[in-house]
mmCIF file of all heavy atoms in Angstrom:
data_model
loop_
_atom_site.group_PDB
_atom_site.id
_atom_site.type_symbol
_atom_site.label_atom_id
_atom_site.label_comp_id
_atom_site.label_asym_id
_atom_site.label_seq_id
_atom_site.Cartn_x
_atom_site.Cartn_y
_atom_site.Cartn_z
ATOM 1 N N GLU A 54 27.419 -51.289 44.333
ATOM 2 C CA GLU A 54 26.955 -50.155 45.148
ATOM 3 C C GLU A 54 25.688 -49.534 44.580
ATOM 4 O O GLU A 54 24.776 -49.152 45.306
ATOM 5 C CB GLU A 54 28.069 -49.113 45.233
ATOM 6 C CG GLU A 54 27.745 -47.946 46.151
ATOM 7 C CD GLU A 54 28.903 -46.972 46.247
ATOM 8 O OE1 GLU A 54 29.941 -47.208 45.584
ATOM 9 O OE2 GLU A 54 28.782 -45.981 46.988
ATOM 10 N N SER A 55 25.615 -49.446 43.250
ATOM 11 C CA SER A 55 24.436 -48.836 42.634
ATOM 12 C C SER A 55 23.197 -49.723 42.717
ATOM 13 O O SER A 55 22.091 -49.278 42.405
ATOM 14 C CB SER A 55 24.733 -48.508 41.165
ATOM 15 O OG SER A 55 25.094 -49.682 40.456
ATOM 16 N N ALA A 56 23.371 -51.002 43.095
ATOM 17 C CA ALA A 56 22.219 -51.898 43.198
ATOM 18 C C ALA A 56 21.446 -51.695 44.501
ATOM 19 O O ALA A 56 20.303 -52.153 44.607
ATOM 20 C CB ALA A 56 22.678 -53.348 43.096
ATOM 21 N N ALA A 57 22.048 -51.052 45.498
ATOM 22 C CA ALA A 57 21.375 -50.883 46.795
ATOM 23 C C ALA A 57 20.092 -50.054 46.687
ATOM 24 O O ALA A 57 19.045 -50.462 47.216
ATOM 25 C CB ALA A 57 22.340 -50.271 47.797
ATOM 26 N N PRO A 58 20.097 -48.883 46.005
ATOM 27 C CA PRO A 58 18.831 -48.136 45.886
ATOM 28 C C PRO A 58 17.751 -48.937 45.169
ATOM 29 O O PRO A 58 16.578 -48.878 45.550
ATOM 30 C CB PRO A 58 19.239 -46.889 45.080
ATOM 31 C CG PRO A 58 20.704 -46.746 45.300
ATOM 32 C CD PRO A 58 21.222 -48.140 45.422
ATOM 33 N N LEU A 59 18.139 -49.680 44.143
ATOM 34 C CA LEU A 59 17.155 -50.501 43.454
ATOM 35 C C LEU A 59 16.594 -51.565 44.389
ATOM 36 O O LEU A 59 15.397 -51.868 44.352
ATOM 37 C CB LEU A 59 17.797 -51.160 42.232
ATOM 38 C CG LEU A 59 16.898 -52.120 41.445
ATOM 39 C CD1 LEU A 59 15.694 -51.375 40.879
ATOM 40 C CD2 LEU A 59 17.682 -52.801 40.333
ATOM 41 N N GLY A 60 17.442 -52.130 45.248
ATOM 42 C CA GLY A 60 16.967 -53.123 46.202
ATOM 43 C C GLY A 60 15.909 -52.554 47.139
ATOM 44 O O GLY A 60 14.908 -53.216 47.435
ATOM 45 N N LEU A 61 16.109 -51.319 47.601
ATOM 46 C CA LEU A 61 15.106 -50.686 48.473
ATOM 47 C C LEU A 61 13.793 -50.467 47.734
ATOM 48 O O LEU A 61 12.707 -50.716 48.278
ATOM 49 C CB LEU A 61 15.654 -49.355 48.994
ATOM 50 C CG LEU A 61 16.821 -49.457 49.985
ATOM 51 C CD1 LEU A 61 17.327 -48.064 50.354
ATOM 52 C CD2 LEU A 61 16.399 -50.211 51.238
ATOM 53 N N ARG A 62 13.886 -50.020 46.494
ATOM 54 C CA ARG A 62 12.656 -49.808 45.720
ATOM 55 C C ARG A 62 11.931 -51.129 45.481
ATOM 56 O O ARG A 62 10.699 -51.194 45.515
ATOM 57 C CB ARG A 62 12.997 -49.128 44.391
ATOM 58 C CG ARG A 62 13.401 -47.676 44.538
ATOM 59 C CD ARG A 62 13.382 -46.953 43.198
ATOM 60 N NE ARG A 62 14.438 -47.436 42.330
ATOM 61 C CZ ARG A 62 15.669 -46.931 42.277
ATOM 62 N NH1 ARG A 62 15.981 -45.904 43.082
ATOM 63 N NH2 ARG A 62 16.562 -47.395 41.459
ATOM 64 N N ILE A 63 12.705 -52.184 45.237
ATOM 65 C CA ILE A 63 12.079 -53.493 45.028
ATOM 66 C C ILE A 63 11.371 -53.956 46.294
ATOM 67 O O ILE A 63 10.275 -54.528 46.240
ATOM 68 C CB ILE A 63 13.145 -54.509 44.578
ATOM 69 C CG1 ILE A 63 13.585 -54.203 43.150
ATOM 70 C CG2 ILE A 63 12.614 -55.934 44.665
ATOM 71 C CD1 ILE A 63 14.700 -55.088 42.649
ATOM 72 N N ILE A 64 11.976 -53.727 47.468
ATOM 73 C CA ILE A 64 11.332 -54.106 48.736
ATOM 74 C C ILE A 64 10.007 -53.378 48.903
ATOM 75 O O ILE A 64 8.982 -53.971 49.299
ATOM 76 C CB ILE A 64 12.280 -53.810 49.908
ATOM 77 C CG1 ILE A 64 13.485 -54.765 49.864
ATOM 78 C CG2 ILE A 64 11.549 -53.947 51.245
ATOM 79 C CD1 ILE A 64 14.522 -54.468 50.908
ATOM 80 N N HIS A 65 9.975 -52.080 48.601
ATOM 81 C CA HIS A 65 8.726 -51.319 48.705
ATOM 82 C C HIS A 65 7.670 -51.866 47.753
ATOM 83 O O HIS A 65 6.490 -51.998 48.112
ATOM 84 C CB HIS A 65 8.998 -49.836 48.405
ATOM 85 C CG HIS A 65 9.895 -49.187 49.407
ATOM 86 N ND1 HIS A 65 10.654 -48.069 49.150
ATOM 87 C CD2 HIS A 65 10.175 -49.522 50.698
ATOM 88 C CE1 HIS A 65 11.349 -47.731 50.222
ATOM 89 N NE2 HIS A 65 11.072 -48.595 51.179
ATOM 90 N N MET A 66 8.107 -52.211 46.535
ATOM 91 C CA MET A 66 7.151 -52.748 45.569
ATOM 92 C C MET A 66 6.628 -54.110 46.017
ATOM 93 O O MET A 66 5.434 -54.414 45.868
ATOM 94 C CB MET A 66 7.824 -52.871 44.196
ATOM 95 C CG MET A 66 8.160 -51.539 43.543
ATOM 96 S SD MET A 66 9.062 -51.742 41.987
ATOM 97 C CE MET A 66 7.872 -52.669 41.045
ATOM 98 N N VAL A 67 7.496 -54.949 46.569
ATOM 99 C CA VAL A 67 7.066 -56.265 47.040
ATOM 100 C C VAL A 67 6.046 -56.122 48.161
ATOM 101 O O VAL A 67 5.033 -56.848 48.197
ATOM 102 C CB VAL A 67 8.288 -57.086 47.490
ATOM 103 C CG1 VAL A 67 7.861 -58.341 48.247
ATOM 104 C CG2 VAL A 67 9.144 -57.469 46.299
ATOM 105 N N LEU A 68 6.286 -55.209 49.082
ATOM 106 C CA LEU A 68 5.330 -54.996 50.175
ATOM 107 C C LEU A 68 3.984 -54.531 49.636
ATOM 108 O O LEU A 68 2.911 -54.994 50.082
ATOM 109 C CB LEU A 68 5.898 -53.978 51.165
ATOM 110 C CG LEU A 68 7.128 -54.441 51.974
ATOM 111 C CD1 LEU A 68 7.643 -53.311 52.855
ATOM 112 C CD2 LEU A 68 6.788 -55.658 52.814
ATOM 113 N N ALA A 69 4.010 -53.604 48.672
ATOM 114 C CA ALA A 69 2.751 -53.102 48.115
ATOM 115 C C ALA A 69 2.004 -54.221 47.388
ATOM 116 O O ALA A 69 0.794 -54.409 47.578
ATOM 117 C CB ALA A 69 3.040 -51.940 47.158
ATOM 118 N N PHE A 70 2.690 -54.973 46.567
ATOM 119 C CA PHE A 70 2.030 -56.058 45.841
ATOM 120 C C PHE A 70 1.574 -57.165 46.784
ATOM 121 O O PHE A 70 0.567 -57.837 46.526
ATOM 122 C CB PHE A 70 2.979 -56.628 44.788
ATOM 123 C CG PHE A 70 3.007 -55.821 43.527
ATOM 124 C CD1 PHE A 70 4.144 -55.123 43.172
ATOM 125 C CD2 PHE A 70 1.900 -55.753 42.692
ATOM 126 C CE1 PHE A 70 4.185 -54.368 42.010
ATOM 127 C CE2 PHE A 70 1.934 -55.013 41.523
ATOM 128 C CZ PHE A 70 3.079 -54.308 41.184
ATOM 129 N N SER A 71 2.278 -57.357 47.888
ATOM 130 C CA SER A 71 1.848 -58.364 48.862
ATOM 131 C C SER A 71 0.526 -57.970 49.495
ATOM 132 O O SER A 71 -0.363 -58.820 49.696
ATOM 133 C CB SER A 71 2.922 -58.545 49.930
ATOM 134 O OG SER A 71 4.129 -59.032 49.356
ATOM 135 N N ALA A 72 0.383 -56.678 49.826
ATOM 136 C CA ALA A 72 -0.889 -56.212 50.389
ATOM 137 C C ALA A 72 -2.024 -56.403 49.387
ATOM 138 O O ALA A 72 -3.135 -56.833 49.744
ATOM 139 C CB ALA A 72 -0.765 -54.743 50.797
ATOM 140 N N ILE A 73 -1.760 -56.084 48.119
ATOM 141 C CA ILE A 73 -2.780 -56.275 47.081
ATOM 142 C C ILE A 73 -3.106 -57.755 46.933
ATOM 143 O O ILE A 73 -4.284 -58.141 46.756
ATOM 144 C CB ILE A 73 -2.284 -55.676 45.752
ATOM 145 C CG1 ILE A 73 -2.122 -54.160 45.881
ATOM 146 C CG2 ILE A 73 -3.240 -56.019 44.622
ATOM 147 C CD1 ILE A 73 -1.509 -53.502 44.659
ATOM 148 N N ALA A 74 -2.076 -58.616 47.016
ATOM 149 C CA ALA A 74 -2.296 -60.050 46.884
ATOM 150 C C ALA A 74 -3.176 -60.585 47.998
ATOM 151 O O ALA A 74 -4.045 -61.439 47.775
ATOM 152 C CB ALA A 74 -0.949 -60.780 46.867
ATOM 153 N N ILE A 75 -2.963 -60.091 49.228
ATOM 154 C CA ILE A 75 -3.805 -60.540 50.355
ATOM 155 C C ILE A 75 -5.257 -60.152 50.131
ATOM 156 O O ILE A 75 -6.184 -60.959 50.342
ATOM 157 C CB ILE A 75 -3.260 -59.951 51.664
ATOM 158 C CG1 ILE A 75 -1.874 -60.547 51.971
ATOM 159 C CG2 ILE A 75 -4.219 -60.221 52.819
ATOM 160 C CD1 ILE A 75 -1.192 -59.900 53.157
ATOM 161 N N LEU A 76 -5.487 -58.911 49.681
ATOM 162 C CA LEU A 76 -6.853 -58.451 49.435
ATOM 163 C C LEU A 76 -7.517 -59.278 48.336
ATOM 164 O O LEU A 76 -8.662 -59.745 48.483
ATOM 165 C CB LEU A 76 -6.835 -56.971 49.064
ATOM 166 C CG LEU A 76 -8.198 -56.331 48.744
ATOM 167 C CD1 LEU A 76 -9.127 -56.412 49.953
ATOM 168 C CD2 LEU A 76 -8.020 -54.888 48.290
ATOM 169 N N LEU A 77 -6.800 -59.481 47.241
ATOM 170 C CA LEU A 77 -7.369 -60.259 46.148
ATOM 171 C C LEU A 77 -7.598 -61.715 46.557
ATOM 172 O O LEU A 77 -8.552 -62.359 46.094
ATOM 173 C CB LEU A 77 -6.432 -60.204 44.935
ATOM 174 C CG LEU A 77 -6.325 -58.850 44.228
ATOM 175 C CD1 LEU A 77 -5.315 -58.927 43.103
ATOM 176 C CD2 LEU A 77 -7.693 -58.399 43.709
ATOM 177 N N ALA A 78 -6.732 -62.266 47.421
ATOM 178 C CA ALA A 78 -6.885 -63.646 47.869
ATOM 179 C C ALA A 78 -8.184 -63.834 48.635
ATOM 180 O O ALA A 78 -8.895 -64.828 48.445
ATOM 181 C CB ALA A 78 -5.689 -64.050 48.727
ATOM 182 N N VAL A 79 -8.512 -62.884 49.500
ATOM 183 C CA VAL A 79 -9.758 -62.990 50.269
ATOM 184 C C VAL A 79 -10.965 -62.928 49.344
ATOM 185 O O VAL A 79 -11.907 -63.738 49.437
ATOM 186 C CB VAL A 79 -9.807 -61.878 51.331
ATOM 187 C CG1 VAL A 79 -11.168 -61.876 52.033
ATOM 188 C CG2 VAL A 79 -8.687 -62.052 52.339
ATOM 189 N N VAL A 80 -10.946 -61.975 48.401
ATOM 190 C CA VAL A 80 -12.074 -61.832 47.475
ATOM 191 C C VAL A 80 -12.218 -63.079 46.600
ATOM 192 O O VAL A 80 -13.326 -63.606 46.412
ATOM 193 C CB VAL A 80 -11.876 -60.574 46.611
ATOM 194 C CG1 VAL A 80 -12.972 -60.480 45.539
ATOM 195 C CG2 VAL A 80 -11.881 -59.331 47.496
ATOM 196 N N PHE A 81 -11.102 -63.563 46.085
ATOM 197 C CA PHE A 81 -11.143 -64.719 45.196
ATOM 198 C C PHE A 81 -11.575 -65.975 45.951
ATOM 199 O O PHE A 81 -12.310 -66.813 45.420
ATOM 200 C CB PHE A 81 -9.754 -64.925 44.572
ATOM 201 C CG PHE A 81 -9.714 -66.030 43.571
ATOM 202 C CD1 PHE A 81 -10.285 -65.885 42.318
ATOM 203 C CD2 PHE A 81 -9.125 -67.242 43.885
ATOM 204 C CE1 PHE A 81 -10.254 -66.906 41.387
ATOM 205 C CE2 PHE A 81 -9.085 -68.278 42.960
ATOM 206 C CZ PHE A 81 -9.660 -68.108 41.711
ATOM 207 N N ALA A 82 -11.146 -66.134 47.202
ATOM 208 C CA ALA A 82 -11.531 -67.304 47.984
ATOM 209 C C ALA A 82 -13.033 -67.336 48.226
ATOM 210 O O ALA A 82 -13.676 -68.395 48.146
ATOM 211 C CB ALA A 82 -10.771 -67.317 49.305
ATOM 212 N N ARG A 83 -13.620 -66.164 48.503
ATOM 213 C CA ARG A 83 -15.061 -66.104 48.715
ATOM 214 C C ARG A 83 -15.807 -66.481 47.433
ATOM 215 O O ARG A 83 -16.803 -67.207 47.465
ATOM 216 C CB ARG A 83 -15.474 -64.705 49.167
ATOM 217 C CG ARG A 83 -15.068 -64.383 50.598
ATOM 218 C CD ARG A 83 -15.561 -62.986 50.996
ATOM 219 N NE ARG A 83 -15.216 -62.676 52.371
ATOM 220 C CZ ARG A 83 -15.944 -63.024 53.421
ATOM 221 N NH1 ARG A 83 -17.073 -63.696 53.248
ATOM 222 N NH2 ARG A 83 -15.569 -62.686 54.640
ATOM 223 N N ALA A 84 -15.310 -65.970 46.293
ATOM 224 C CA ALA A 84 -15.994 -66.273 45.029
ATOM 225 C C ALA A 84 -15.840 -67.738 44.636
ATOM 226 O O ALA A 84 -16.678 -68.290 43.925
ATOM 227 C CB ALA A 84 -15.435 -65.371 43.933
ATOM 228 N N LEU A 85 -14.761 -68.382 45.096
ATOM 229 C CA LEU A 85 -14.488 -69.758 44.709
ATOM 230 C C LEU A 85 -15.179 -70.783 45.599
ATOM 231 O O LEU A 85 -15.275 -71.950 45.255
ATOM 232 C CB LEU A 85 -12.971 -69.990 44.743
ATOM 233 C CG LEU A 85 -12.427 -71.222 44.016
ATOM 234 C CD1 LEU A 85 -12.717 -71.143 42.523
ATOM 235 C CD2 LEU A 85 -10.931 -71.361 44.262
ATOM 236 N N LEU A 86 -15.695 -70.358 46.739
ATOM 237 C CA LEU A 86 -16.257 -71.310 47.685
ATOM 238 C C LEU A 86 -17.482 -72.036 47.130
ATOM 239 O O LEU A 86 -17.668 -73.230 47.380
ATOM 240 C CB LEU A 86 -16.647 -70.591 48.980
ATOM 241 C CG LEU A 86 -15.525 -70.431 50.014
ATOM 242 C CD1 LEU A 86 -16.036 -69.701 51.228
ATOM 243 C CD2 LEU A 86 -14.984 -71.795 50.410
ATOM 244 N N ARG A 87 -18.316 -71.343 46.398
ATOM 245 C CA ARG A 87 -19.552 -71.976 45.934
ATOM 246 C C ARG A 87 -19.259 -73.143 44.997
ATOM 247 O O ARG A 87 -19.742 -74.262 45.244
ATOM 248 C CB ARG A 87 -20.434 -70.929 45.246
ATOM 249 C CG ARG A 87 -20.928 -69.839 46.183
ATOM 250 C CD ARG A 87 -21.903 -68.879 45.479
ATOM 251 N NE ARG A 87 -22.279 -67.779 46.332
ATOM 252 C CZ ARG A 87 -21.614 -66.637 46.429
ATOM 253 N NH1 ARG A 87 -20.547 -66.458 45.683
ATOM 254 N NH2 ARG A 87 -22.038 -65.688 47.240
ATOM 255 N N PRO A 88 -18.491 -72.958 43.914
ATOM 256 C CA PRO A 88 -18.201 -74.135 43.066
ATOM 257 C C PRO A 88 -17.350 -75.181 43.775
ATOM 258 O O PRO A 88 -17.468 -76.375 43.485
ATOM 259 C CB PRO A 88 -17.453 -73.535 41.865
ATOM 260 C CG PRO A 88 -16.980 -72.200 42.318
ATOM 261 C CD PRO A 88 -17.958 -71.722 43.320
ATOM 262 N N ILE A 89 -16.548 -74.764 44.730
ATOM 263 C CA ILE A 89 -15.730 -75.741 45.459
ATOM 264 C C ILE A 89 -16.624 -76.661 46.281
ATOM 265 O O ILE A 89 -16.360 -77.869 46.412
ATOM 266 C CB ILE A 89 -14.707 -75.028 46.362
ATOM 267 C CG1 ILE A 89 -13.574 -74.464 45.501
ATOM 268 C CG2 ILE A 89 -14.129 -75.977 47.408
ATOM 269 C CD1 ILE A 89 -12.512 -73.749 46.287
ATOM 270 N N ASN A 90 -17.694 -76.105 46.862
ATOM 271 C CA ASN A 90 -18.631 -76.908 47.636
ATOM 272 C C ASN A 90 -19.244 -77.996 46.754
ATOM 273 O O ASN A 90 -19.366 -79.161 47.162
ATOM 274 C CB ASN A 90 -19.719 -76.010 48.224
ATOM 275 C CG ASN A 90 -20.553 -76.742 49.259
ATOM 276 O OD1 ASN A 90 -20.092 -77.707 49.866
ATOM 277 N ND2 ASN A 90 -21.770 -76.272 49.473
#
């Protein structure tokens, strides 16, 4: 029962880190295109 609040907090953290991951992915992909070419 006590694990439920932690589960909600983990979901919020996952969503926040996912948004950060998407932003960093776009920036990193742009920086990587030149050597990839």
